[in-house]
Amino acid sequence: MKDQLEDLKQRYVALISALSDEKALSEARTKVLGRKGELTAILRGLKDVAPELRSEIGRLANLAKEQLEKMFTEREAAVQAEVEKAKVAGESVDVTLPGRRSFFGRTHILNRVTDELIELFGGLGFQLAEGPEVELDYYNFEALNIPHDHPARDMQDTFYFSKNVVLRTHTSPVQIRTMEKQSPPVRVICPGKVYRRDADITHSPMFMQIEGLWVDRDISLADLKGMLTVFCSEYFGEDFALRFRPSFFPFTEPSAEVDIQCVICGGSGCRTCSFTGWLEILGAGMVDPELYRFVHYDPEVYTGFAFGMGIERVAMLKYGIPDIRSFYENDIRFLHQF
Ligand code: DAH
């Protein structure tokens, strides 16, 4: 029995040092030390050994078990370390490669321009006012002096939720909402999204406007003109001439469309301004006294001006963007330029 043990030990000692992969080692371990292993069988057979030899053989068998276990564990660790080493050696690092750049998000250009406009008008004393995009017919049309059968509604066809609930077609309803809540003086700007049934290279079914409203005693067209002149030179960073063309809006009287001297060619004529030298940037006018009826202001005491500007429009002019759709296509190459 002693010889049998000795022989087993020698065979496995030789085997363990010869094996160099984890799977073979684990199989060999099971074969000798597992539940049905060779050494386990010897240990089980101890009960049949003559009593005077039992303790001696038992001691030797346990010793052999311990030794083999230790050898297996050490050999397994060594094999594992070698595998790791080979893996690292295979992954050579090219230290001359440029680093991977991390990706930074940024504010969308339209939100940036909106923030700039809020800041700029804030400096001119205008407070921020906001209204809902899903708007009542009353605020979007009715209280702006656009009754149900008025032809001006045709220019602003929109998306109807029901007969009296629409996606707002402009930011002008915020004028009414503000005046309902607050008595004069009122000096607010109202930026936000608006919706129309419109889509081409310069029109999108969803776009952004910024509305301005200033109502107080003795406000005149001169104040409007002065304020817009300051705005343009601040925003475009240069003194461009402004031109007021008579126009019509149901909520202003008189009304004007305001053109700025072409910021691209300076007025000599180019493709952007269709060779006219002028670019339309907003609609404006003196608040029609008819509106004051809806908000209970006294038209004998108060006057005011209002204007509405397309945010995409001024952003396109400032940054030379030819197509309004670029703002909404989520093309990172476009967005990352700003
Ligand atoms: N709401 C008009 C539009 O979307 C723009 C506008 C024109 C706003 C004149 C005004 C204004 O406040 O006075 O076409």
Side-chain angles (χ1 to χ4, degrees):
M1 196 122 190
K2 259 186 180 172
D3 293 344
Q4 206 187 333
L5 259 177
E6 192 53 34
D7 168 62
L8 180 140
K9 208 171 96 183
Q10 298 218 334
R11 269 192 293 122
Y12 277 97
V13 166
L15 181 65
I16 292 170
S17 28
L19 289 178
S20 59
D21 90 271
E22 290 173 275
K23 193 162 163 255
L25 275 166
S26 148
E27 277 168 13
R29 190 197 269 265
T30 313
K31 221 171 128 210
V32 59
L33 298 171
R35 233 161 18 93
K36 293 181 184 159
E38 286 181 60
L39 187 57
T40 316
I42 293 178
L43 282 163
R44 280 214 187 105
L46 271 180
K47 60 181 187 315
D48 305 323
V49 173
E52 65 274 21
L53 292 176
R54 202 177 290 158
S55 80
E56 164 81 15
I57 302 226
R59 197 179 55 80
L60 287 176
N62 276 321
L63 193 68
K65 187 178 168 196
E66 267 169 41
Q67 283 174 335
L68 288 178
E69 253 163 11
K70 190 160 168 260
M71 279 194 76
F72 271 115
T73 308
E74 279 170 6
R75 185 74 190 126
E76 276 161 4
V79 165
Q80 230 169 39
E82 253 161 59
V83 169
E84 280 301 312
K85 218 166 108 189
K87 219 160 97 184
V88 172
E91 279 171 9
S92 61
V93 177
D94 183 349
V95 292
T96 65
L97 282 175
R100 288 206 188 105
R101 201 186 291 212
S102 31
F103 181 85
F104 290 102
R106 63 183 72 190
T107 309
H108 191 281
I109 177 65
L110 285 178
N111 289 329
R112 269 248 323 273
V113 169
T114 305
D115 290 344
E116 271 171 39
L117 294 173
I118 292 171
E119 171 110 15
L120 205 161
F121 281 110
L124 297 172
F126 287 79
Q127 286 182 323
L128 185 62
E130 281 175 306
E133 288 171 31
V134 177
E135 185 56 285
L136 293 173
D137 182 283
Y138 176 77
Y139 291 109
N140 195 79
F141 295 120
E142 203 75 23
L144 286 167
N145 202 25
I146 316 176
H148 267 289
D149 51 3
H150 198 284
R153 287 207 178 197
D154 291 351
M155 294 191 311
Q156 300 194 358
D157 192 11
T158 181
F159 305 89
Y160 282 76
F161 284 87
S162 65
K163 194 160 164 286
N164 292 316
V165 181
V166 300
L167 282 179
R168 68 178 178 192
T169 59
H170 48 182
T171 40
S172 303
V174 190
Q175 289 189 30
I176 304 294
R177 286 182 173 275
T178 306
M179 289 194 283
E180 260 185 358
K181 280 194 292 230
Q182 192 184 328
S183 38
V186 165
R187 203 189 320 182
V188 290
I189 41 153
C190 334
K193 297 195 190 84
V194 301
Y195 302 84
R196 289 195 200 169
R197 197 179 164 283
D198 245 350
D200 62 37
I201 180 168
T202 52
H203 295 89
S204 150
M206 185 213 77
F207 60 105
M208 294 185 77
Q209 285 190 332
I210 189 161
E211 191 84 9
L213 174 71
W214 187 348
V215 181
D216 201 348
R217 291 168 197 266
D218 300 324
I219 297 290
S220 76
L221 208 58
D223 296 305
L224 171 64
K225 202 163 181 186
M227 193 277 307
L228 286 179
T229 307
V230 171
F231 159 75
C232 284
S233 68
E234 292 268 316
Y235 182 72
F236 293 107
E238 243 179 274
D239 285 335
F240 290 108
L242 287 179
R243 179 172 81 166
F244 282 58
R245 274 182 296 116
S247 184
F248 171 79
F249 297 105
F251 33 92
T252 43
E253 183 59 39
S255 304
E257 289 193 41
V258 180
D259 300 336
I260 182 173
Q261 190 188 347
C262 181
V263 298
I264 309 289
C265 64
S268 56
C270 68
R271 251 182 36 166
T272 306
C273 60
S274 310
F275 302 95
T276 62
W278 296 97
L279 296 163
E280 187 191 321
I281 55 164
L282 54 88
M286 299 305 292
V287 177
D288 192 318
E290 195 62 23
L291 264 58
Y292 296 144
R293 265 191 335 111
F294 290 93
V295 297
H296 311 296
Y297 280 12
D298 186 347
E300 298 301 324
V301 180
Y302 297 108
T303 52
F305 67 70
F307 62 89
M309 187 160 67
I311 295 183
E312 287 85 350
R313 179 93 184 141
V314 291
M316 286 164 84
L317 293 177
K318 183 159 176 173
Y319 297 102
I321 299 163
D323 188 336
I324 194 171
R325 291 169 292 204
S326 326
F327 291 117
Y328 309 112
E329 280 168 349
N330 279 341
D331 186 334
I332 292 287
R333 291 166 304 176
F334 169 77
L335 296 173
H336 262 231
Q337 295 175 72
F338 308 102

